[in-house]
Amino acid sequence: MKERKDEMKKSFRKILVICTVLAMILGTTFASAATKTEVTSLDGAKAKVQVDWNHRYTYDELGKQLKDLNKAYGKLSKLETIGKTHEGRPLYCMTITDQSVAKSKKTEVTVFGNIHGGERESASSAMYSAWYLLENSGTTKVKTLLKNYIVYVIPVINPDGYEQSFLWNTRQNMKPTDHDNDGVPFNDNYKDIDGDGYIADISAVDAAKTVTGSAGRESDDANKDGILGNDPKGSNIDMNRTFDYLWGEDGVMDSEGESPASEPEIQAVQNFIKAHPNMTCLATLHTGIQCVLYPWGYRKAHKDLDDMDDIKYMDQTAKEMAKTIAEGTQRNFYYKQSYHDYPTYSELIDYAYGKFGIHPYTIEVYSGGSSEDSAYDPNHDLSSDKGCKWNNKLPDVKEVYYTHEEAVKILEAAGIDPAKLQIKDKATNEYRPWKASEGLLFKTSATAQMVDKAPEGQDVMVNGVMKGILKMFENEKAVNTIKLTVKASASKDKVKLTWNKSKGQITGYQVQKSKYSAKGFLNVNKNTTKTSITNTKNLKKGTTYYYRVRPISKVNGKTTYGQWAKVSVKAK
Ligand SMILES: [Ca+2]
Ligand SMILES: [Ca+2]
Ligand SMILES: [Ca+2]
Ligand SMILES: [Zn+2]
């Protein structure tokens, strides 16, 4: 045994030497072979573009990451600007696909992120999908995917809101707005004046530290009216209520802007969707709850309406996505028709589905905080929002009390005249001067303390959500790319055809027959929803018949066909 072992050791050593030499010669080949193992957020060190998925990046930094990815994977990616924001920031769109395969043979899908500026986890998640696909483009899985799909990633629809949210979390865009009607927009934005880096809500308090009124929110009162933070950056517009679909028809004018698609960011998104009529599905990522939602936002599904098959299809896909994301993140997620979460008008998903028949899904990627029942449960009822929290410990509300004298110093250092400071009195709800008997209490919420941080476990979140997005891709094959597998069998006076139930936007199947292999085909059934058919008419014993079957997709009046799959059989 011993000798044998030594022999083995020797030959093993020889192999090692050969391998080392080979590795030196074929260094580059070995390196590229190594990238074939999947790179995830958790082992991102292997990636060409280094990203810390637990870091909160600025919009400029996200732009840099996209440019770096585009440089590193130029053959698979294209980085474009599809528009500009009010503040002049570019709206990026990254196209990811294997360009050697013709466009007509691929399914077009889109990932949108961050229509609501403060929901930055959604931007990280969209960025991750671009990063993941490119960094893993050497794996068989992603290679195949990029041959079959064109993936568009628009990671941030609202860059201005994204940036403002480093100061104060807001979902709005930055259309210039003059909240205090002094003729100058945004001339009392929030500003940290006590030097802790965050924006507090300020209360006037008496000697017993009981709140006597509100002193507004931290600012340097640039508009000099004595009221703190009364012209902050923010438009009062929720861009996800401004799409040109049933705009304004809810009868409540609140956050939907002046007219349909009034905002440049949304015009860019609408133009992008219009320019990609073959897109079959999209995901639009949000933060705030943990779920997958599908159309409609404005009304319930109804069994008598002709979109019911489609609604059922999206319901099933949303369920599979929610399940996949829950497993991937090890947190609970749910799914619902968007209306049942809460009714809304003129959302991106209603626009995309209502106008173009695209299957759109809202994915809400994160709900901060924790509740007693938020532990991951693999058997969690996917239709219930119960326990769908990320189970993170968020910072406690921070309260700092300043005596009148201390507060005067802080105000003066910020250029504010303490004698002019206005307090909205708690009892009268009217403005009045700040009293010498009052101190100030700075209260900083958990959200305000999180403006520059990513939540704990964001790296796990982005990876799990990516799996849900891949599930959406897989389910949503464009019908023109689908070729079925058809089998035929003959028995006395009968030919039976069966075919597979393929995933994708299929609403029916067309079946034709001919005596010739390449001509003369006539319909056996123009449109059946079944996956088998029995032909008894016009069969002559001993004659060979040719059949062909293709899938049909009819979404919102638009009919598309898949490829013919042929089979021949001799009648009995
Ligand atoms: Ca103003
Ligand atoms: Ca502060
Ligand atoms: Ca002011
Ligand atoms: Zn949102």
Side-chain angles (χ1 to χ4, degrees), residues 484-489 495-501 511 530-534 549 565 567:
L484 303 163
T485 309
V486 186
K487 284 178 194 158
S489 61
V495 167
K496 189 176 182 192
L497 302 177
T498 54
W499 54 91
N500 59 314
K501 192 169 170 59
V511 184
K530 294 183 179 143
T531 53
S532 69
I533 198 166
T534 304
V549 184
V567 68

Side-chain angles (χ1 to χ4, degrees), residues 180 187-188 219-231:
D180 63 326
N187 64 340
D188 189 6
S219 88
D220 62 0
D221 193 28
N223 59 357
K224 303 282 175 203
D225 60 1
I227 302 168
L228 297 188
N230 64 335
D231 195 10

Side-chain angles (χ1 to χ4, degrees), residues 18-69:
I18 294 167
C19 280
T20 312
V21 173
L22 261 176
M24 278 156 65
I25 298 166
L26 303 170
T28 48
T29 316
F30 268 62
S32 69
T35 63
K36 282 181 183 166
T37 8
E38 185 172 305
V39 180
T40 70
S41 54
L42 308 172
D43 60 0
K46 292 180 196 161
K48 284 191 191 174
V49 178
Q50 296 293 311
V51 180
D52 176 356
W53 296 102
N54 287 317
H55 184 79
R56 179 63 68 230
Y57 290 103
T58 65
Y59 189 64
D60 281 350
E61 288 169 331
L62 297 187
K64 169 90 166 53
Q65 289 168 3
L66 290 170
K67 284 169 195 161
D68 288 350
L69 283 168

Side-chain angles (χ1 to χ4, degrees), residues 292-297 299 301 308 310-319 335-340 349-350 353 359-362:
V292 181
L293 306 171
Y294 59 90
W296 299 94
R299 69 160 168 85
M308 200 53 210
D310 232 19
I311 299 282
K312 277 188 196 157
Y313 179 83
M314 289 189 278
D315 183 80
Q316 181 58 30
T317 303
K319 184 180 184 179
Y335 78 104
K336 263 191 176 73
Q337 195 201 4
S338 190
Y339 177 88
H340 292 291
I349 60 168
D350 278 13
Y353 181 59
H359 288 162
Y361 302 87
T362 295

Side-chain angles (χ1 to χ4, degrees), residues 552-571:
I552 306 168
S553 165
K554 196 171 177 189
V555 177
N556 274 22
K558 191 176 98 184
T559 306
T560 336
Y561 297 97
Q563 295 162 46
W564 287 115
K566 280 189 201 169
V567 68
S568 64
V569 63
K570 195 182 267 189

